[in-house]
Amino acid sequence: MQAPLDIRGFKLFQGYLDPQAQAEILAAIQAVVAAAPLFSPMTPFGKPMSVRMTSAGNYGWFSDRRGYRYVTEHPSGTAWPPIPDSVLDVWRDVTELDRLPDCCLVNFYGPAAKMGLHQDRDEADFSWPVMSISLGDDGLFRIGNPTRGGKTEAVWLHSGDVVVMGGAARLTYHGLERIRQGSSRLLPDGGRINLTLRVVE
Ligand code: SIN
Ligand code: MN
């Protein structure tokens, strides 16, 4: 494994997954989406998010007028499917932790989807990192500061990149500004998938 780039404490492992490993994880995620279809969560302000989502694991991330939280069931009322082994292997290898994540949030970005700057703070214990895997079209990932405001910087995430958000950077603001439509042929119909692995409890 190559030494990661350090961007404001975020560790970026560029090209961590080769094309075959990307295809294997994509197939596993397509099975997750077949069992737990993507949906557009409502923000607490009553607007649907442009990113479509689903989850795998004991918990899934959810949002509606009552706020952001983790729930144990997909909106259809069924349990979330298990996190694929191929995804857990990446977590084990990159984080070297014995503790496994209990949520794999699946974000799907179509051509116009984006995610504003935010902190990941719905988990119980911020000493565990959040790890992200990017698949498909490039995404412009913006990184801010541990508090709102201030100068930001952006980096293009490519298919196969892995980012670890941990340590002092665990609560750093981040978001996804836009995707570069058509920049990858991994997803048959285009778009970008980002998986984030989270220790919830
Ligand atoms: C997220 O912060 O949940 C998603 C980040 C990304 O899409 O790369
Ligand atoms: Mn996030």
Side-chain angles (χ1 to χ4, degrees):
M1 187 165 37
Q2 265 194 325
L5 299 177
D6 186 313
I7 310 171
R8 300 190 177 197
F10 284 14
K11 306 278 190 258
L12 167 55
F13 298 81
Q14 284 182 313
Y16 173 85
L17 297 169
D18 66 23
Q20 195 188 323
Q22 292 170 40
E24 191 184 325
I25 291 181
L26 175 63
I29 294 304
Q30 284 167 331
V32 166
V33 169
L38 294 164
F39 58 96
S40 303
M42 268 309 163
T43 66
F45 318 103
K47 253 186 75 174
M49 296 181 69
S50 61
V51 181
R52 292 193 293 143
M53 297 182 178
T54 189
S55 291
N58 292 336
Y59 293 96
W61 189 83
F62 189 73
S63 173
D64 61 14
R65 283 196 177 271
R66 286 169 44 210
Y68 304 138
R69 61 195 181 276
Y70 285 97
V71 295
T72 54
E73 288 170 359
H74 183 270
S76 65
T78 56
W80 305 101
I83 302 176
D85 284 334
S86 52
V87 173
L88 292 176
D89 285 345
V90 180
W91 169 275
R92 285 191 195 95
D93 187 41
V94 172
T95 69
E96 298 181 323
L97 293 169
D98 291 328
R99 175 70 155 93
L100 293 178
D102 28 43
C103 171
C104 172
L105 174 63
V106 179
N107 287 340
F108 177 77
Y109 298 80
K114 58 188 176 184
M115 189 179 294
L117 286 175
H118 65 277
Q119 295 171 299
D120 288 355
R121 55 177 316 138
D122 303 315
E123 303 75 29
D125 181 350
F126 303 137
S127 65
W128 301 109
V130 171
M131 191 196 85
S132 103
I133 300 175
S134 292
L135 296 171
D137 286 341
D138 300 343
L140 186 60
F141 186 61
R142 188 157 288 281
I143 304 173
N145 301 286
T147 52
R148 198 173 269 290
K151 283 210 170 86
T152 65
E153 60 189 290
V155 60
W156 281 100
L157 298 181
H158 306 285
S159 196
D161 288 355
V162 170
V163 179
V164 178
M165 307 179 255
R170 175 62 178 76
L171 291 174
T172 290
Y173 278 82
H174 59 278
L176 202 287
E177 205 155 293
R178 62 192 157 91
I179 74 162
R180 200 186 257 149
Q181 199 188 348
S183 50
S184 164
R185 299 196 5 211
L186 182 71
L187 276 66
D189 298 320
R192 173 175 186 264
I193 290 174
N194 180 263
L195 310 177
T196 41
L197 295 163
R198 299 127 182 273
V199 174
V200 174
E201 286 183 336

